[in-house]
Amino acid sequence: MKDASSYTPPKIWSWKKEGGGRFANINRPIAGSTHEKDLPVGRHPMQLYSLATPNGVKVTVMLEELLALGHAGAEYDAWLIRISEGDQFGSGFVAVNPNSKIPALLDRSEPTPVRVFESGAILLYLAEKFEAFLPSRRDERAECLSWLFWQMGSAPYLGGGFGHFYAYAPTKIEYAIDRYAMEVKRQLDVLDRRLGQSPYLAGDDYTVADMSVWPWYGTLAKGQLYQAGEFLQVQEYTNVVRWTDQIAKRPAVRRGRMVNRTWGDPSSQLHERHDAGDFDTRTQDKLAAAR
Ligand SMILES: N[C@@H](CCC(=O)N[C@@H](CS)C(=O)NCC(=O)O)C(=O)O
C-alpha cells in the first residue's frame, strides 16, 4: 500500500492553521462567531441563508416544490452565504445556526420567528408545516423518515470521507480512499436495490426523502461529484440513474438547483432569489447582459 504514513500522533492534538487541503482556511476547532454581522431580512415569510451545495439544494428544491403546489406561505428570500469567505461565522448567522453551516432557515411567519438548522430538520419542518411531501400514514411516514435520516447519516461518508480524501486532501492516501470508496459503493448499492423495488425511496410518491438524497447521490450517479464517475463506475447503478434523471426533469428541481449557485454556467446561477420572476431576469448571464 502506498503512502504509509510515518506520522505518530502527539500526546495532545494542537491546531496547525496551515494544515493544507481545500477548506483549510475555514476549518476551525472552535464554535461561535468570529465577527459581528447582522443577517439581511427580506419581505417573504421564509428567510433562507444558504449556498447551492447538495445540502443547500435540498431546501431550495423543497421550497420551489411547495410553491409549485400553491403554498404561498413558502415564499422565500434566499440569501447567499459564501462559506469560503467565512460568512457562516458572522454573529447573525451563528444565531440562526450555532453549527455555522449552511443551510439555515428563519420562518418569520410564526408568532415568534422560528430558526431551523440541519437540512434534514428543515425539510421535515417544512413538510409538517405545509403537510406536503411527507406521507400521513404511519407506515409510509416511517419509510420516508428512514430514508431521510439514512441520507443525513450516510452523506458525511460520501462528502467528508470519500470526497475529501479523493478530491481535496493535499496527499492521496490509499487507505483512506479505499475505505471510503468501498463505503460509497455500498451506499449506492443500497439505493439501487431500493429503487429497484419502488419508483421513489419512500414508495410510489416523491417525498422529502428523495429531495434529501437526490442532490448528493443523484449528482454522484451522473459522475458530477468529485469527478469520480469512472472511478466508482456509477453507471452500474441503473435504478439510481433512472430515478436521478426522472427527478432532474421536475421544473421545481430545475429552479431549486439554480438558487444560491455561484459556479457553473452563468445561466444556471441565481445568486440570490427574492421573487419567482428572478429565474427569468436575474441569473448571472442576464445580469451581465444588462450591464
Ligand atoms: N448536516 C448538515 C451539514 C451542513 C454542511 O456541511 N454544510 C457545509 C456546506 S455543504 C458548510 O456550510 N460548510 C461550512 C463550514 O464547514 O464551515 C446539514 O445537512 O445541514
Side-chain angles (χ1 to χ4, degrees), residues 228-249:
E230 186 180 6
F231 185 66
L232 296 175
Q233 290 293 287
V234 292
Q235 75 287 349
E236 287 172 2
Y237 304 95
T238 53
N239 297 313
V240 181
V241 173
R242 183 266 305 154
W243 165 90
T244 299
D245 290 342
Q246 200 171 337
I247 291 176
K249 288 189 199 127

Side-chain angles (χ1 to χ4, degrees), residues 93-235:
F93 188 90
V94 174
V96 180
N97 184 355
N99 196 37
S100 283
K101 291 183 194 289
I102 66 89
L105 180 78
L106 194 63
D107 177 358
R108 302 183 79 243
S109 66
E110 297 289 334
T112 308
V114 174
R115 78 169 191 195
V116 200
F117 58 93
E118 283 294 317
S119 56
I122 296 173
L123 290 180
L124 190 50
Y125 175 82
L126 293 171
E128 287 183 335
K129 174 162 179 145
F130 296 103
E131 297 183 5
F133 302 110
L134 181 65
S136 46
R137 245 179 57 184
R138 200 195 310 276
D139 55 342
E140 292 173 355
R141 194 182 183 93
E143 186 70 15
C144 175
L145 293 182
S146 298
W147 288 107
L148 175 64
F149 283 80
W150 177 88
Q151 186 282 319
M152 296 305 294
S154 297
Y157 291 95
L158 168 54
F162 175 75
H164 180 79
F165 287 107
Y166 184 73
Y168 301 145
T171 55
K172 301 281 180 244
I173 304 166
E174 185 178 356
Y175 175 81
I177 292 173
D178 265 352
R179 173 176 162 81
Y180 289 113
M182 167 118 68
E183 169 62 6
V184 169
K185 281 185 74 79
R186 190 192 68 79
Q187 294 178 352
L188 281 166
D189 196 29
V190 170
L191 289 176
D192 201 59
R193 288 170 193 241
R194 171 60 183 159
L195 292 167
Q197 297 165 336
S198 62
Y200 295 104
L201 286 169
D204 289 335
D205 297 322
Y206 171 67
T207 67
V208 283
D210 302 290
M211 290 182 218
S212 168
V213 174
W214 183 84
W216 281 106
Y217 294 89
T219 311
L220 181 69
K222 298 301 281 184
Q224 291 160 2
L225 199 57
Y226 313 125
Q227 310 292 331
E230 186 180 6
F231 185 66
L232 296 175
Q233 290 293 287
V234 292
Q235 75 287 349

Side-chain angles (χ1 to χ4, degrees), residues 49-63:
Y49 304 96
S50 195
L51 181 71
T53 64
N55 290 322
V57 164
K58 294 174 197 172
V59 178
T60 47
V61 164
M62 175 64 165
L63 289 165

Side-chain angles (χ1 to χ4, degrees), residues 56-89:
V57 164
K58 294 174 197 172
V59 178
T60 47
V61 164
M62 175 64 165
L63 289 165
E64 290 297 329
E65 292 283 10
L66 289 168
L67 290 171
L69 275 189
H71 292 288
E75 260 300 351
Y76 68 108
D77 290 277
W79 303 96
L80 184 60
I81 297 295
R82 294 185 188 267
I83 59 174
S84 57
E85 290 170 24
D87 290 352
Q88 69 276 37
F89 303 117

